[in-house]
PDB file of all heavy atoms in Angstrom:
ATOM      1  N   VAL A 288     107.150 146.627-199.227  1.00  0.00           N
ATOM      2  CA  VAL A 288     106.927 146.158-200.576  1.00  0.00           C
ATOM      3  C   VAL A 288     107.534 147.009-201.627  1.00  0.00           C
ATOM      4  O   VAL A 288     107.921 146.642-202.782  1.00  0.00           O
ATOM      5  CB  VAL A 288     105.438 145.876-200.911  1.00  0.00           C
ATOM      6  CG1 VAL A 288     104.849 144.747-200.142  1.00  0.00           C
ATOM      7  CG2 VAL A 288     104.651 147.194-200.729  1.00  0.00           C
ATOM      8  N   TYR A 289     107.754 148.338-201.223  1.00  0.00           N
ATOM      9  CA  TYR A 289     108.314 149.288-202.125  1.00  0.00           C
ATOM     10  C   TYR A 289     109.859 149.094-202.232  1.00  0.00           C
ATOM     11  O   TYR A 289     110.513 149.111-203.181  1.00  0.00           O
ATOM     12  CB  TYR A 289     108.017 150.732-201.746  1.00  0.00           C
ATOM     13  CG  TYR A 289     108.440 151.740-202.768  1.00  0.00           C
ATOM     14  CD1 TYR A 289     107.711 152.008-203.906  1.00  0.00           C
ATOM     15  CD2 TYR A 289     109.620 152.525-202.532  1.00  0.00           C
ATOM     16  CE1 TYR A 289     108.173 152.976-204.794  1.00  0.00           C
ATOM     17  CE2 TYR A 289     110.033 153.397-203.479  1.00  0.00           C
ATOM     18  CZ  TYR A 289     109.318 153.647-204.602  1.00  0.00           C
ATOM     19  OH  TYR A 289     109.714 154.593-205.493  1.00  0.00           O
ATOM     20  N   ARG A 290     110.455 149.010-200.961  1.00  0.00           N
ATOM     21  CA  ARG A 290     111.888 148.982-200.831  1.00  0.00           C
ATOM     22  C   ARG A 290     112.461 147.587-201.129  1.00  0.00           C
ATOM     23  O   ARG A 290     113.558 147.496-201.584  1.00  0.00           O
ATOM     24  CB  ARG A 290     112.317 149.480-199.447  1.00  0.00           C
ATOM     25  CG  ARG A 290     112.165 150.903-199.248  1.00  0.00           C
ATOM     26  CD  ARG A 290     113.308 151.728-199.771  1.00  0.00           C
ATOM     27  NE  ARG A 290     112.887 153.109-199.825  1.00  0.00           N
ATOM     28  CZ  ARG A 290     113.178 153.881-200.932  1.00  0.00           C
ATOM     29  NH1 ARG A 290     113.895 153.438-201.954  1.00  0.00           N
ATOM     30  NH2 ARG A 290     112.872 155.170-200.870  1.00  0.00           N
ATOM     31  N   ARG A 291     111.711 146.635-200.721  1.00  0.00           N
ATOM     32  CA  ARG A 291     112.354 145.202-200.737  1.00  0.00           C
ATOM     33  C   ARG A 291     111.326 144.249-201.413  1.00  0.00           C
ATOM     34  O   ARG A 291     110.878 143.266-200.924  1.00  0.00           O
ATOM     35  CB  ARG A 291     112.577 144.610-199.379  1.00  0.00           C
ATOM     36  CG  ARG A 291     113.461 145.518-198.514  1.00  0.00           C
ATOM     37  CD  ARG A 291     114.654 144.649-197.943  1.00  0.00           C
ATOM     38  NE  ARG A 291     115.688 145.576-197.396  1.00  0.00           N
ATOM     39  CZ  ARG A 291     116.632 146.355-198.180  1.00  0.00           C
ATOM     40  NH1 ARG A 291     116.537 146.147-199.501  1.00  0.00           N
ATOM     41  NH2 ARG A 291     117.455 147.082-197.649  1.00  0.00           N
ATOM     42  N   PRO A 292     110.949 144.596-202.803  1.00  0.00           N
ATOM     43  CA  PRO A 292     110.069 143.670-203.546  1.00  0.00           C
ATOM     44  C   PRO A 292     110.813 142.313-203.632  1.00  0.00           C
ATOM     45  O   PRO A 292     111.854 142.216-203.986  1.00  0.00           O
ATOM     46  CB  PRO A 292     109.916 144.412-204.857  1.00  0.00           C
ATOM     47  CG  PRO A 292     111.092 145.304-205.057  1.00  0.00           C
ATOM     48  CD  PRO A 292     111.449 145.736-203.574  1.00  0.00           C
ATOM     49  N   VAL A 293     109.978 141.266-203.391  1.00  0.00           N
ATOM     50  CA  VAL A 293     110.523 139.907-203.369  1.00  0.00           C
ATOM     51  C   VAL A 293     110.681 139.357-204.839  1.00  0.00           C
ATOM     52  O   VAL A 293     111.342 138.345-204.961  1.00  0.00           O
ATOM     53  CB  VAL A 293     109.795 138.905-202.433  1.00  0.00           C
ATOM     54  CG1 VAL A 293     109.725 139.367-201.000  1.00  0.00           C
ATOM     55  CG2 VAL A 293     108.347 138.853-202.975  1.00  0.00           C
ATOM     56  N   ASN A 294     109.981 139.935-205.794  1.00  0.00           N
ATOM     57  CA  ASN A 294     110.041 139.361-207.110  1.00  0.00           C
ATOM     58  C   ASN A 294     109.725 140.492-208.114  1.00  0.00           C
ATOM     59  O   ASN A 294     109.300 141.550-207.726  1.00  0.00           O
ATOM     60  CB  ASN A 294     109.249 138.123-207.257  1.00  0.00           C
ATOM     61  CG  ASN A 294     107.685 138.388-206.992  1.00  0.00           C
ATOM     62  OD1 ASN A 294     107.248 139.485-207.277  1.00  0.00           O
ATOM     63  ND2 ASN A 294     106.984 137.407-206.459  1.00  0.00           N
ATOM     64  N   ARG A 295     109.846 140.109-209.355  1.00  0.00           N
ATOM     65  CA  ARG A 295     109.653 141.094-210.456  1.00  0.00           C
ATOM     66  C   ARG A 295     108.241 141.587-210.509  1.00  0.00           C
ATOM     67  O   ARG A 295     107.942 142.738-210.892  1.00  0.00           O
ATOM     68  CB  ARG A 295     110.132 140.522-211.766  1.00  0.00           C
ATOM     69  CG  ARG A 295     111.523 140.793-212.022  1.00  0.00           C
ATOM     70  CD  ARG A 295     111.826 140.353-213.411  1.00  0.00           C
ATOM     71  NE  ARG A 295     111.349 141.217-214.449  1.00  0.00           N
ATOM     72  CZ  ARG A 295     111.718 141.197-215.677  1.00  0.00           C
ATOM     73  NH1 ARG A 295     112.606 140.320-216.073  1.00  0.00           N
ATOM     74  NH2 ARG A 295     111.166 142.002-216.528  1.00  0.00           N
ATOM     75  N   MET A 296     107.322 140.662-210.202  1.00  0.00           N
ATOM     76  CA  MET A 296     105.889 141.051-210.300  1.00  0.00           C
ATOM     77  C   MET A 296     105.651 142.187-209.346  1.00  0.00           C
ATOM     78  O   MET A 296     105.085 143.286-209.679  1.00  0.00           O
ATOM     79  CB  MET A 296     105.030 139.874-209.922  1.00  0.00           C
ATOM     80  CG  MET A 296     103.557 140.085-210.100  1.00  0.00           C
ATOM     81  SD  MET A 296     102.779 140.785-208.572  1.00  0.00           S
ATOM     82  CE  MET A 296     101.466 141.835-209.256  1.00  0.00           C
ATOM     83  N   VAL A 297     106.045 142.024-208.039  1.00  0.00           N
ATOM     84  CA  VAL A 297     105.844 143.079-207.036  1.00  0.00           C
ATOM     85  C   VAL A 297     106.570 144.322-207.441  1.00  0.00           C
ATOM     86  O   VAL A 297     106.086 145.463-207.386  1.00  0.00           O
ATOM     87  CB  VAL A 297     106.280 142.556-205.644  1.00  0.00           C
ATOM     88  CG1 VAL A 297     106.156 143.692-204.650  1.00  0.00           C
ATOM     89  CG2 VAL A 297     105.395 141.369-205.215  1.00  0.00           C
ATOM     90  N   ALA A 298     107.859 144.139-207.826  1.00  0.00           N
ATOM     91  CA  ALA A 298     108.752 145.288-208.133  1.00  0.00           C
ATOM     92  C   ALA A 298     108.139 146.114-209.301  1.00  0.00           C
ATOM     93  O   ALA A 298     108.155 147.317-209.272  1.00  0.00           O
ATOM     94  CB  ALA A 298     110.067 144.813-208.516  1.00  0.00           C
ATOM     95  N   GLY A 299     107.591 145.434-210.336  1.00  0.00           N
ATOM     96  CA  GLY A 299     107.045 146.143-211.482  1.00  0.00           C
ATOM     97  C   GLY A 299     105.716 146.693-211.207  1.00  0.00           C
ATOM     98  O   GLY A 299     105.286 147.689-211.850  1.00  0.00           O
ATOM     99  N   PHE A 300     104.967 146.142-210.245  1.00  0.00           N
ATOM    100  CA  PHE A 300     103.547 146.667-210.070  1.00  0.00           C
ATOM    101  C   PHE A 300     103.552 147.878-209.156  1.00  0.00           C
ATOM    102  O   PHE A 300     102.586 148.699-209.200  1.00  0.00           O
ATOM    103  CB  PHE A 300     102.796 145.499-209.367  1.00  0.00           C
ATOM    104  CG  PHE A 300     101.344 145.620-209.516  1.00  0.00           C
ATOM    105  CD1 PHE A 300     100.723 145.406-210.825  1.00  0.00           C
ATOM    106  CD2 PHE A 300     100.520 146.081-208.516  1.00  0.00           C
ATOM    107  CE1 PHE A 300      99.412 145.622-211.054  1.00  0.00           C
ATOM    108  CE2 PHE A 300      99.081 146.203-208.737  1.00  0.00           C
ATOM    109  CZ  PHE A 300      98.564 146.004-209.975  1.00  0.00           C
ATOM    110  N   ILE A 301     104.538 148.037-208.242  1.00  0.00           N
ATOM    111  CA  ILE A 301     104.559 149.136-207.294  1.00  0.00           C
ATOM    112  C   ILE A 301     105.484 150.251-207.645  1.00  0.00           C
ATOM    113  O   ILE A 301     106.669 149.932-207.962  1.00  0.00           O
ATOM    114  CB  ILE A 301     104.857 148.491-205.907  1.00  0.00           C
ATOM    115  CG1 ILE A 301     103.683 147.575-205.570  1.00  0.00           C
ATOM    116  CG2 ILE A 301     105.011 149.706-204.808  1.00  0.00           C
ATOM    117  CD1 ILE A 301     103.539 147.241-204.056  1.00  0.00           C
ATOM    118  N   GLY A 302     104.967 151.447-207.601  1.00  0.00           N
ATOM    119  CA  GLY A 302     105.798 152.596-207.948  1.00  0.00           C
ATOM    120  C   GLY A 302     105.460 153.142-209.418  1.00  0.00           C
ATOM    121  O   GLY A 302     105.322 152.360-210.246  1.00  0.00           O
ATOM    122  N   THR A 303     105.423 154.473-209.488  1.00  0.00           N
ATOM    123  CA  THR A 303     105.328 155.087-210.788  1.00  0.00           C
ATOM    124  C   THR A 303     106.451 156.042-211.007  1.00  0.00           C
ATOM    125  O   THR A 303     106.711 156.795-210.018  1.00  0.00           O
ATOM    126  CB  THR A 303     104.007 155.773-211.077  1.00  0.00           C
ATOM    127  OG1 THR A 303     103.662 156.499-209.848  1.00  0.00           O
ATOM    128  CG2 THR A 303     102.905 154.869-211.488  1.00  0.00           C
ATOM    129  N   PRO A 304     107.106 156.149-212.093  1.00  0.00           N
ATOM    130  CA  PRO A 304     106.958 155.264-213.242  1.00  0.00           C
ATOM    131  C   PRO A 304     107.389 153.916-212.822  1.00  0.00           C
ATOM    132  O   PRO A 304     108.170 153.784-211.812  1.00  0.00           O
ATOM    133  CB  PRO A 304     107.872 155.892-214.328  1.00  0.00           C
ATOM    134  CG  PRO A 304     108.860 156.754-213.632  1.00  0.00           C
ATOM    135  CD  PRO A 304     108.118 157.237-212.349  1.00  0.00           C
ATOM    136  N   ALA A 305     106.964 152.823-213.540  1.00  0.00           N
ATOM    137  CA  ALA A 305     107.356 151.443-213.218  1.00  0.00           C
ATOM    138  C   ALA A 305     108.834 151.352-213.150  1.00  0.00           C
ATOM    139  O   ALA A 305     109.567 151.947-213.927  1.00  0.00           O
ATOM    140  CB  ALA A 305     106.733 150.515-214.206  1.00  0.00           C
ATOM    141  N   MET A 306     109.263 150.412-212.274  1.00  0.00           N
ATOM    142  CA  MET A 306     110.696 150.118-212.189  1.00  0.00           C
ATOM    143  C   MET A 306     111.186 149.646-213.601  1.00  0.00           C
ATOM    144  O   MET A 306     110.512 148.836-214.183  1.00  0.00           O
ATOM    145  CB  MET A 306     110.902 148.926-211.127  1.00  0.00           C
ATOM    146  CG  MET A 306     112.330 148.607-210.857  1.00  0.00           C
ATOM    147  SD  MET A 306     112.538 147.235-209.715  1.00  0.00           S
ATOM    148  CE  MET A 306     112.260 148.070-208.189  1.00  0.00           C
TER     149      MET A 306
END
Side-chain angles (χ1 to χ4, degrees):
V288 294
Y289 187 81
R290 289 277 165 225
R291 305 234 165 281
V293 296
N294 60 33
R295 271 186 72 166
M296 185 272 149
V297 175
F300 200 74
I301 296 200
T303 41
M306 184 184 280

